[in-house]
Amino acid sequence: MKLDLIPQIKHTDKNNFFLLAGPCAIEDEDMALRIAEKVCSITDKLGIPYIFKGSFKKANRSRIDSFTGIGDEKALKILRKVSETFQVPTVTDIHEVSDANLAAQYVDVLQIPAFLVRQTDLVVAAAQTGKVVNLKKGQFMSPESMQHAVKKVTDSNNQQVMLTDRGTMFGYQDMIVDFRGIPTMRQYAPTVLDVTHSLQQPNQSSGVTGGRPEMIETIARAGVVNKVDGLFIETHFDPANAKSDGANMLDLQYLENLLTRLVKIRKLVASLE
């Protein structure tokens, strides 16, 4: 994948990691624009290539009464408005073959969720749109097995593909990041570390996923030290009241200091090459 081919991507000459960040789900227009404005300001200041992230719908929920979205086209139009307002590319996840062409009309990167990355028809449908495809490693899959998911995209005449590690299941209620997977997956495609989902604690008896946001910097630092190409961080100005995944999101007020430290670590690692 060539990062500078993503529409409206900035700062590709700064030798920084790139960043996919935003809320778990699009809740309304004001929240999306508020988060995007803040993250754009930070990434412009630090010279970080940035892609705004927001799910237009949430299909994988523990309970039937969980928040799933505000309406597909309504949310996708908000993602387009974010892109037009701040001149920034956007990414959203898709869950069904029919989502691919719909979402491709509004966003620049199509993300395949970890639970669905072995679904060949879905991966191929995303690839055939010509958009960048972000394949999230299944929690049940080895890093080596992701080469086959990448090949599904490239065999569909699309070279714009990246991989994202979001942890591996460790027991019933914890995720673990095996950092040996980063150099392995980088052999197949640029590799992103999903910091916040790696800290989820799924399968809670309440039916609401838990998390350990206090460990966000620990995981992010380790990813940067191990030369990850990009970072994925879900962030919200009020995680406690977010409608999805609030338990593991980063409070937006802490993002600038975190990224500032990570950029310094990136420069140090580069200086040792």
Side-chain angles (χ1 to χ4, degrees):
M1 183 190 79
K2 294 183 177 180
L3 189 65
D4 56 5
L5 292 182
I6 300 175
Q8 303 188 98
I9 194 83
K10 304 180 182 74
H11 311 303
T12 57
D13 60 338
K14 302 296 185 184
N15 195 31
N16 261 328
F17 52 83
F18 60 93
L19 178 70
L20 292 80
C24 177
I26 300 297
E27 299 172 9
D28 58 54
E29 183 177 301
D30 287 343
M31 69 83 72
L33 292 173
R34 179 176 171 184
I35 294 171
E37 181 177 29
K38 180 65 174 177
V39 184
C40 284
S41 173
I42 295 168
T43 52
D44 283 343
K45 179 179 178 181
L46 296 175
I48 298 172
Y50 174 50
I51 302 169
F52 177 84
K53 184 270 168 183
S55 296
F56 76 97
K57 68 177 176 183
K58 303 300 296 183
N60 174 31
R61 302 286 84 188
S62 297
R63 302 188 329 202
I64 197 169
D65 60 347
S66 297
F67 175 78
T68 58
I70 59 174
D72 293 358
E73 292 214 38
K74 183 177 181 180
L76 287 166
K77 287 178 179 177
I78 290 172
L79 284 163
R80 176 189 281 168
K81 184 164 185 178
V82 167
S83 181
E84 292 173 347
T85 301
F86 300 105
Q87 298 298 295
V88 63
T90 56
V91 55
T92 198
D93 35 347
I94 62 173
H95 306 87
E96 303 175 33
V97 170
S98 60
D99 289 343
N101 284 327
L102 173 63
Q105 298 174 54
Y106 297 91
V107 303
D108 304 289
V109 181
L110 298 178
Q111 181 169 284
I112 307 298
F115 282 127
L116 298 176
V117 75
R118 282 178 57 91
Q119 297 297 106
T120 300
D121 287 351
L122 180 62
V123 173
V124 170
Q128 289 178 339
T129 67
K131 297 289 183 175
V132 179
V133 180
N134 182 24
L135 301 167
K136 300 196 86 171
K137 185 184 81 65
Q139 300 93 325
F140 46 87
M141 294 174 68
S142 70
E144 291 81 2
S145 66
M146 289 304 294
Q147 63 184 298
H148 305 298
V150 170
K151 198 168 187 302
K152 290 176 184 178
V153 177
T154 57
D155 282 354
S156 301
N157 297 315
N158 187 341
Q159 303 301 312
Q160 288 291 86
V161 56
M162 65 176 96
L163 292 170
T164 295
D165 191 346
R166 51 99 72 233
T168 301
M169 286 302 298
F170 185 76
Y172 290 112
Q173 295 178 329
D174 261 314
M175 310 294 295
I176 206 80
V177 178
D178 181 354
F179 287 96
R180 296 173 301 177
I182 292 174
T184 297
M185 291 194 292
R186 288 185 77 215
Q187 297 176 72
Y188 316 135
T191 299
V192 178
L193 177 60
D194 183 342
V195 178
T196 47
H197 283 109
S198 296
L199 294 166
Q200 279 187 333
Q201 293 180 311
N203 303 321
Q204 301 293 316
S205 59
S206 65
V208 178
T209 297
R212 298 194 62 192
E214 72 276 8
M215 299 297 292
I216 286 172
E217 184 154 353
T218 299
I219 298 294
R221 281 177 178 239
V224 174
V225 166
N226 285 286
K227 304 179 187 176
V228 77
D229 298 290
L231 294 174
F232 181 110
I233 298 174
E234 288 190 339
T235 185
H236 196 289
F237 49 78
D238 187 11
N241 291 301
K243 294 182 178 180
S244 179
D245 281 4
N248 57 270
M249 276 199 279
L250 177 69
D251 192 313
L252 188 58
Q253 67 178 315
Y254 302 128
L255 183 64
E256 182 169 356
N257 284 339
L258 171 64
L259 291 176
T260 299
R261 291 190 288 271
L262 295 176
V263 166
K264 289 180 180 178
I265 292 170
R266 168 78 173 201
K267 289 179 179 176
L268 176 59
V269 171
S271 74
L272 298 173
E273 293 293 294

